[in-house]
């Protein structure tokens, strides 16, 4: 098989499929069909065509996977030294880089995202494995002074079997940022990718085996949230659940896990503000806003979906943004467009309904505002890059997550009002701030409620910087050293030695 990007793209363009994609669950190190025989289709959002079929699991498959991951906790894996766990993760990083082309093409087809964005996600996944490869042998405990008659110390232990519920917008990114620290910590894992995007999770499970991970340490079961996700998060042998997705489903997951007193890290929705003050570098701000809301067609939990702009800068910035938004080229992901389709026809309808309702309320849609198609084929689930100006603070367009390429613009008289507008939703995931005034930037960073703040570069950071939400955006932190603590439980030991 020729696994270069051009060869894979040509294969898809000629045959409508890619050979050798995984089509069964990965359980106990083997490709395994669903116990029920159930299957689902992968559909290409760029043209609406089915291109692959895969096993759709249910509670029986989850049962086998969880039992197997539970058994794997006490085998070879528990005997592996922390350094050996790190070495496996380092090999996984190397293999991901070697096989990046195949991962990126599969990710682009499954999600619809432009190939260059999928390539970035795969590179990020490799970097994530590399980052956590360095941590297992550096997570030290403490000694606690109790005087000469005692010895007291702490130990970090793996939490046990972990469940990973993955969304369809950043499949390989979200999986790697939760699985890498779980494995670094010595946990085992059962992964349930989104039904729309199972491919890279199954591929990554198999790659980890080749990197040296013992069979069963990671099991991957594809299927819907109801059939496969719900039995996983309610399984009593699962001791931690990493969930990324909608706030509504997140609340259900927390409720299900609560029955077993299982911990959950919910990474949920957002309506993140991007504040631009009048003294900002407007070129940098315009670039930042374009990426914040139009990357992945706005299907980003941490999208900068509200521009909060100081009144003096409003008209100039709007002019620049409208020109840039109109210049974006839409197209099938494999053709490397500026913006690809959204992930499903159901999701497209939801975006369109939210914008149509805003139009009916009399809101000012300055560009976009309609569904669209790939100009080459007139197919696919596209939405035009859309900007809605002067959105009142309490309007649904300023309050609700749209999860599409729709920017709500809100005008503030000064920095104080910008803070109050920024804090005016139930969400608090991330925030962006553009200003040349260093002190003002940090004052805003202090007063805007968010798990992560970006100053003068939206999405600045990377795997080593902690990420997560407050309020309805969730709790707990992924990424960085803090992201590994989630997968460890602290034991303290106190001994009388006299
Ligand atoms: P979802 O939150 O229902 O799905 C995310 C993951 O959870 C998928 O793997 C799904 O199969 C699984 N899931 C669903 N129900 C479950 C349950 N009861 N127990 C365990 N797992 C379950 O999101 P969905 O339905 O794909 O999209 C709905 C809306 O959610 C989107 O239109 C978007 O607005 C938002 N969303 C937000 C995300 C974010 O990162 N903030 C990611 C995905 C969706
Ligand atoms: Mg759902």
């Amino acid at each position: 098989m020729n696994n270069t990007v051009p060869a894979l793209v040509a294969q898809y363009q000629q045959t409508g499929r890619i050979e050798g994609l995984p089509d069964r669950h990965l359980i106990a190190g083997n490709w395994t069909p669903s116990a029920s025989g159930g299957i689902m289709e992968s559909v290409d959002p760029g043209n609406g065509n089915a291109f692959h079929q895969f096993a759709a699991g249910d509670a029986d498959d989850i049962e086998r996977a969880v039992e197997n991951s539970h058994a794997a906790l006490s085998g070879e894996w528990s005997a592996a030294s922390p350094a050996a766990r790190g070495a496996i993760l380092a090999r996984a990083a190397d293999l991901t880089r070697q096989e990046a082309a195949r991962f990126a093409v599969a990710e682009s087809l499954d999600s619809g995202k432009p190939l260059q964005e999928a390539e970035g996600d795969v590179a990020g996944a490799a970097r994530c494995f590399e980052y956590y490869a360095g941590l297992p042998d550096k997570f030290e405990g403490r000694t606690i002074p109790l005087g000469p008659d005692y010895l007291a110390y702490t130990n970090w232990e793996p939490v046990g079997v972990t469940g990973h519920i993955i969304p369809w917008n950043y499949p390989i990114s979200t999986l790697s940022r939760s699985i890498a620290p779980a494995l670094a910590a010595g946990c085992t894992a059962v992964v349930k990718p989104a039904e729309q995007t199972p491919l890279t999770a199954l591929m990554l499970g198999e790659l980890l085996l080749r990197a040296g991970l013992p069979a069963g340490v990671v099991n991957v079961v594809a299927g819907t949230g109801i059939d496969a996700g719900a039995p996983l998060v309610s399984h009593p042998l699962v001791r931690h659940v990493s969930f990324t997705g909608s706030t509504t489903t997140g609340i259900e997951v927390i409720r299900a896990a609560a029955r077993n007193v299982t911990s959950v890290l919910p990474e949920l929705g957002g309506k993140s503000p991007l504040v631009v003050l009048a003294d900002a570098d407007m070129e940098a701000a315009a670039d930042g806003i374009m990426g914040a809301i139009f990357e992945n067609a706005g299907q980003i939990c941490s999208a900068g979906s509200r521009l909060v702009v100081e009144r003096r800068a409003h008209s100039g910035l709007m002019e620049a943004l409208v020109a840039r938004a109109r210049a974006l080229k839409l197209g099938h992901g494999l053709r490397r467009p500026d913006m690809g389709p959204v992930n499903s026809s159901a999701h497209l309808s939801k975006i369109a309904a939210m914008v149509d309702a805003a139009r009916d309320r009399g809101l000012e849609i300055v560009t976009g505002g309609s569904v669209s198609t790939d100009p080459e084929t007139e197919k696919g689930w596209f939405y035009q890059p859309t900007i809605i100006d002067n959105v009142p603070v309490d309007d649904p367009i300023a309050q609700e997550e749209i999860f599409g390429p729709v920017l709500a613009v809100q005008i503030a008289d000064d920095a104080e009002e910008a803070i109050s507008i920024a804090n005016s939703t139930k969400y608090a995931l991330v925030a962006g701030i553009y200003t040349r005034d260093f002190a003002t930037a940090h004052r805003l960073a202090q007063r805007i409620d968010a798990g992560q703040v970006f100053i003068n570069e939206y999405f600045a950071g990377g795997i080593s910087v902690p990420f997560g939400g407050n309020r309805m955006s969730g709790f707990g932190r992924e990424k960085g050293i803090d992201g590994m603590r989630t997968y460890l439980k602290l034991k303290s030991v106190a001994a009388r030695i006299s």
Side-chain angles (χ1 to χ4, degrees), residues 82 133-141 484:
L135 276 186
D137 58 348
K138 298 169 194 71
F139 235 89
E140 299 171 355
M484 186 158 150

Side-chain angles (χ1 to χ4, degrees), residues 168 195-196 225-226 246 248-249:
W168 43 261
E195 52 271 40
Q196 299 88 346
I226 297 296
S246 63
T248 315
T249 302

